[in-house]
Amino acid sequence: MRTAVVALGFGAGFAAPVLGHTLDEYVQATLVSVEANQILASVRLKPGVEVFPQVFRAIDADSDGQLSKEEEAKYLQRVIGDLSLSVDGTRLEPRMLWGRFPPTDDMKEGRGEILIELAAAVSPRSGARTLVIENRHQPRISAYLANSVVPRDPGIRILAQNRSNDQSIYELRYIQP
Amino acid sequence: MKRSFFGAFAGVLLLISWDVASAQAPGASQRIAAAANAFLATLDSPRREKVLAAFDDAEQRTRWSNLPVAMAPRGGISLREMTPRQRTAALGLLSSVLSRAGYEKVMLIMEGDEANKAESRGSRAELFGKDLYFISILGTPSERDPWMLQFGGHHLGVNVIIAGERGVLTPTLTGAQPAMFTLNGKTVRPLEGESDKALALLNALDENQRDEAILKYRVADLVLGPGQDGKTIQPEGLKASSMNARQRAMLLDVMSEWAGIIHESAAAARMAELERGIEDTWFAWSGPTSAGTGGNITAYYRIQGPNVVIEYAPQQFGGDPALHIHTMYRDPANDYGKRLVAQ
């Protein structure tokens, strides 16, 4: 016998249920790792189902409804091009270590993430340093996250993290031994 | 009259044949192993094979998510696939591994998903429901050697490593949608403590402390959610060494909402560990500083210490973020009990 009685008592504040993830934003999460002679960055891009058509159109350059390897590769490069990295005011040239697309259906249903791993060489120098990352990819639909992992090199000490309100601009100040 | 396993919530609790309180006492490992073996004994061979995985099965270990199971398939078998006797034994095992409060929290999260189902139309209803939660066992249930219990579905990923009397609950994901609903005439909030205790702590801070604790930017989602194992981010916010004793006690009390999900003896050991690291624990807050609908906060917060990362992330996507919450509980040094297993 089914005895549970479940009723929602707050109809005004609770519309039809939605899936357990961000729907109407393109979440772009960047995680940086500072090393003595390079910056490593991991970028995860996850389109919500409501913005997926817009993201898909940006990738599907020939509008054939399919994502070719070439289109995916070009899109990854476009994302990288929309990122700017600098250390102490010197612009860095990030190179892609690897990039990966999920199955299109996974993205369409809001569970797929595009992953990009980047590395950018930095001239080693002791003292206080400032890394700035700006993400300008798809700003109208995006929600950004930017963080730093605790450096593997115990000699590198993070002093401060500053961000714009939407986290599209991230500044990391650190001391390098 | 035979009662449905999925009766009223109180009824579910009554149906559990395992004495939850006994899990607190010395000998919890024996009772948990006995509950696991009793559950396995109810299964026929095909179901048993689906439930069991190798302890070092890295793929199964990380097969948990906030998403509905149709979108992110879990291992093991679902409650839907079980007979009433099997379901009772499965929940008996779960209740032996969790504290009473932890078990109730899990049940309410599942009830919330049942509410989701009731509100859904057509095929969407198939995404939700309290019988769409999966159980799996990694390794061989033992009173001494490590093994693992996984239980999860939409908004729930409970991962427990059991090694004798000790237990590790990280990483574990809890969430709620709706985060407030009416159940048997009562308004319930599955993550009430997580919301209210954190807001109370924020309100207990002085102006300078609040200025340090409150981040000046929006945090849209979990930073270390599913798929982000093994990462430790730079802590931010207010360090507990700058708090007074009462505020530190309040911070520990917030953490107990996650640390206290596991059975009482393991929770006590975990709380002692968190207390030892309290001076190096940080509290950061982003978003509104007052409660939203029904009392749930709509702000993100993070607690990070030497052995813990907790994130509370209301989901902001057009609906009311007070009614849709994701949380994450991690120990970067001991996720999946790696430190415990290495001992």
Side-chain angles (χ1 to χ4, degrees):
Chain A
M1 182 179 71
R2 192 179 184 87
T3 56
V5 179
V6 179
L8 297 175
F10 300 89
F14 181 69
V18 288
L19 302 178
H21 58 288
T22 305
L23 293 178
D24 58 2
E25 290 180 316
Y26 190 14
V27 177
Q28 300 179 37
T30 302
L31 200 54
V32 298
S33 176
V34 175
E35 298 187 355
N37 58 359
Q38 66 177 349
I39 303 294
L40 300 173
S42 165
V43 186
R44 294 183 292 123
L45 303 103
K46 188 172 182 178
V49 290
E50 290 177 9
V51 298
F52 169 76
Q54 194 170 335
V55 173
F56 185 83
R57 281 195 298 274
I59 307 169
D60 183 25
D62 62 8
S63 303
D64 70 346
Q66 307 288 326
L67 299 184
S68 67
K69 293 297 174 196
E70 291 74 22
E71 288 170 330
E72 290 179 353
K74 280 185 180 174
Y75 183 73
L76 295 178
Q77 290 303 323
R78 194 186 320 161
V79 173
I80 296 169
D82 287 340
L83 291 172
S84 67
L85 286 76
S86 68
V87 169
D88 303 332
T90 301
R91 189 178 176 107
L92 307 180
E93 295 297 332
R95 62 188 171 85
M96 187 170 73
L97 300 175
W98 57 267
R100 192 170 70 207
F101 261 74
T104 302
D105 283 347
D106 285 3
M107 273 198 293
K108 190 175 183 179
E109 293 177 8
R111 66 176 185 263
E113 289 184 338
I114 301 166
L115 302 175
I116 308 174
E117 293 284 336
L118 304 169
V122 178
S123 304
R125 179 177 68 74
S126 297
R129 313 202 72 173
T130 302
L131 164 71
V132 176
I133 298 178
E134 183 172 0
N135 187 342
R136 296 180 298 273
H137 186 64
Q138 300 268 42
R140 293 184 62 183
I141 58 172
S142 294
Y144 304 101
L145 297 171
N147 286 277
S148 170
V149 298
V150 173
R152 282 188 298 187
D153 180 347
I156 296 176
R157 191 159 52 91
I158 291 180
L159 299 175
Q161 301 176 88
N162 298 302
R163 300 164 175 85
S164 59
N165 182 60
D166 67 355
Q167 298 201 56
S168 63
I169 302 174
Y170 175 68
E171 179 193 83
L172 180 72
R173 294 195 292 117
Y174 61 99
I175 295 275
Q176 189 164 325
Chain B
M1 178 178 65
K2 186 176 181 181
R3 291 190 63 162
S4 162
F5 150 70
F6 272 134
F9 175 65
V12 171
L13 289 176
L14 289 171
L15 274 172
I16 301 308
S17 59
W18 303 100
D19 180 359
V20 174
S22 66
Q24 309 165 27
S29 62
Q30 294 97 313
R31 275 181 283 275
I32 293 168
N37 288 322
F39 166 59
L40 290 172
T42 67
L43 302 177
D44 55 23
S45 190
R47 287 188 174 102
R48 192 182 171 97
E49 272 184 34
K50 285 176 77 176
V51 162
L52 290 170
F55 182 66
D56 60 357
D57 185 336
E59 189 179 344
Q60 174 57 32
R61 184 172 285 197
T62 57
R63 197 175 285 156
W64 53 272
S65 172
N66 58 292
L67 293 166
V69 296
M71 298 174 67
R74 314 304 201 269
I77 61 172
S78 70
L79 297 173
R80 178 181 285 183
E81 298 169 75
M82 297 181 197
T83 66
R85 180 166 162 261
Q86 290 165 344
R87 288 192 297 248
T88 300
L91 285 199
L93 168 57
L94 183 66
S95 74
S96 75
V97 168
L98 304 184
S99 66
R100 185 181 188 90
Y103 183 76
E104 289 179 1
K105 192 190 298 282
V106 165
M107 292 296 110
L108 287 180
I109 289 168
M110 294 163 67
E111 289 290 356
D113 212 51
E114 188 70 12
N116 249 343
K117 182 176 185 173
E119 286 293 302
S120 298
R121 300 285 176 268
S123 60
R124 287 181 67 82
E126 292 302 308
L127 290 169
F128 309 115
K130 61 186 175 184
D131 55 355
L132 284 176
Y133 287 79
F134 283 68
I135 191 167
S136 61
I137 291 172
L138 288 79
T140 304
S142 163
E143 296 176 11
R144 192 184 58 192
D145 298 325
W147 58 285
M148 181 175 175
L149 175 72
Q150 285 188 314
F151 185 82
H154 190 204
H155 287 135
L156 185 69
V158 173
N159 300 299
V160 191
I161 298 282
I162 299 132
E165 297 298 313
R166 294 170 295 177
V168 173
L169 187 72
T170 52
T172 277
L173 179 147
T174 58
Q177 183 203 21
M180 179 181 63
F181 54 95
T182 303
L183 180 66
N184 296 327
K186 288 180 67 176
T187 299
V188 293
R189 292 189 289 146
L191 305 177
E192 177 178 351
E194 291 85 337
S195 170
D196 296 2
K197 290 179 179 179
L199 182 59
L201 171 60
L202 186 76
N203 287 333
L205 302 179
D206 66 29
E207 193 175 332
N208 290 335
Q209 289 173 318
R210 280 168 71 100
D211 192 52
E212 282 191 58
I214 296 174
L215 307 174
K216 310 297 185 291
Y217 57 87
R218 177 192 175 212
V219 183
D221 206 350
L222 296 171
V223 176
L224 297 176
Q228 302 303 304
D229 292 343
K231 296 174 181 172
T232 304
I233 59 173
Q234 188 68 20
E236 294 180 277
L238 174 68
K239 201 173 182 184
S241 56
S242 300
M243 296 180 183
N244 61 35
R246 176 173 164 264
Q247 292 164 340
R248 283 196 291 273
M250 293 176 78
L251 179 60
L252 275 170
D253 196 29
V254 180
M255 289 193 275
S256 75
E257 288 294 326
W258 288 268
I261 291 173
I262 198 167
H263 68 81
E264 280 81 353
S265 58
R270 176 62 168 154
M271 286 305 296
E273 180 180 52
L274 295 176
E275 188 167 8
R276 284 194 296 274
I278 193 68
E279 293 276 331
D280 292 318
T281 301
W282 300 68
F283 177 62
W285 181 281
S286 171
T289 55
S290 57
T293 305
N296 283 335
I297 58 172
T298 58
Y300 166 95
Y301 72 83
R302 184 191 310 147
I303 298 169
Q304 185 171 350
N307 295 105
V308 65
V309 177
I310 288 169
E311 292 183 275
Y312 179 101
Q315 300 297 293
Q316 312 192 20
F317 48 81
D320 186 343
L323 296 177
H324 187 171
I325 297 155
H326 294 174
T327 89
M328 196 65 234
Y329 175 51
R330 288 185 176 277
D331 178 352
N334 200 24
D335 273 351
Y336 306 106
K338 62 186 176 189
R339 194 175 61 217
L340 183 62
V341 172
Q343 288 174 354

